[in-house]
Amino acid sequence: KAILIIQASTTIDGLKFSGAKVADSNGAGIRYEGGSLTILNSAFEKNENGILGQGSLSDTISITDSVFDSNGSFANGCGHNVYIGTMGKLIFKHSKSIDSRDQSHTLKSRALLNEITDSFFSTRNSDGSYELDFPNGGDVTLTNNVIEQGPLTGNGVVISYGEEGNPNPTPRFTATGNIFNNLNSTGSFIRMQGASFLNIQGNTFIGGGIILLGGTTDLSKNRNLPASVLDAYKIGNLLDRLTTNG
């Protein structure tokens, strides 16, 4: 069911996982089944799932300086670049998750606590779905990321939070210092359901669509720019740095 199955605390450094495919179309580069997992300097390419699994509420997955590219499978409708089930904490930093395929997500997490920092998410060149999906809510912090949705997406939402309810404790959503780029003319950057605390400040939103669908918070400290400025704006040094990572 996977190239590598993890069932205890493990550190992975400098490995490449490619081409995982099984009969039920749910193969994974890594199938995670428990323990705290650290992934460093690794790549996941063209698997049915990049990483798939869940752990206990005391477990943490930490992913740093790694790349997830062109994972996903339409056959079972569940394949994603990164799919983390119910568990304690996900840390995703200075990494890329791009071009998830066949209506899959670049990152989907049901973890209670999610910290996503200095990373790049994009379906610019694929037919992926959500860039970030937190279907059970939880505590989500997005800081200094570049998040863009391509024109071939199967939905008009860039980030989805709580669409399956909010069983996770601490329903909080914080987004600061991020750059969001919507390559579609319409849609929603953030679709929010059930967060009791919202903090969306200091972000730049480029392209079509409304910033927030559902939920209420002060959005006045964000910038909303038309798609026509994108070439001149260049998404700054952050995008240049992140797109060369890995």
Side-chain angles (χ1 to χ4, degrees):
K1 57 185 179 182
I3 295 172
L4 183 63
I5 299 172
I6 301 295
Q7 297 177 322
S9 293
T10 305
T11 296
I12 294 169
D13 192 349
L15 297 183
K16 181 176 180 178
F17 301 83
S18 180
K21 184 177 181 180
V22 298
D24 67 358
S25 301
N26 206 28
I30 289 179
R31 180 67 70 95
Y32 165 73
E33 298 181 348
S36 288
L37 173 61
T38 299
I39 299 174
L40 305 167
N41 307 304
S42 294
F44 299 74
E45 300 176 356
K46 298 181 179 179
N47 305 284
E48 290 172 329
N49 294 272
I51 179 171
L52 169 66
Q54 64 183 32
S56 75
L57 299 186
S58 62
D59 288 336
T60 295
I61 293 180
S62 178
I63 299 170
T64 306
D65 293 323
S66 295
V67 177
F68 297 79
D69 186 356
S70 302
N71 302 284
S73 172
F74 180 75
N76 68 5
C78 296
H80 304 290
N81 266 359
V82 178
Y83 187 2
I84 306 302
T86 302
M87 61 172 295
K89 184 176 183 179
L90 170 65
I91 300 170
F92 193 95
K93 61 183 179 180
H94 202 247
S95 294
K96 294 194 295 185
S97 183
I98 60 174
D99 294 335
S100 53
R101 58 190 184 183
D102 295 336
Q103 302 304 316
S104 63
H105 308 333
T106 59
L107 186 148
K108 181 174 183 176
S109 176
R110 301 178 188 272
L112 275 61
L113 178 61
N114 300 271
E115 297 178 356
I116 300 173
T117 307
D118 294 321
S119 292
F120 179 45
F121 302 88
S122 175
T123 51
R124 174 183 287 266
N125 301 308
S126 73
D127 58 349
S129 186
Y130 301 132
E131 302 310 308
L132 304 178
D133 183 20
F134 307 97
N136 296 143
D139 192 338
V140 175
T141 301
L142 311 178
T143 309
N144 297 333
N145 304 287
V146 174
I147 304 168
E148 66 175 9
Q149 188 170 68
L152 300 179
T153 181
N155 71 72
V157 175
V158 180
I159 297 176
S160 181
Y161 178 100
E163 76 271 17
E164 296 180 15
N166 285 273
N168 289 344
T170 318
R172 298 167 54 94
F173 182 90
T174 300
T176 56
N178 302 284
I179 298 169
F180 298 85
N181 180 28
N182 183 10
L183 296 172
N184 297 288
S185 59
T186 61
S188 304
F189 287 98
I190 301 170
R191 184 179 67 190
M192 184 62 51
Q193 296 174 251
S196 60
F197 175 85
L198 286 175
N199 180 20
I200 303 173
Q201 298 188 51
N203 305 285
T204 298
F205 296 87
I206 302 172
I210 63 173
I211 292 178
L212 180 63
L213 177 64
T216 302
T217 190
D218 179 11
L219 299 175
S220 65
K221 296 181 180 179
N222 301 284
R223 291 199 295 176
N224 196 351
L225 304 177
S228 60
V229 307
L230 181 61
D231 288 341
Y233 190 65
K234 299 295 185 185
I235 316 187
N237 293 330
L238 178 61
L239 180 57
D240 293 337
R241 176 165 58 86
L242 292 174
T243 53
T244 57
N245 176 40

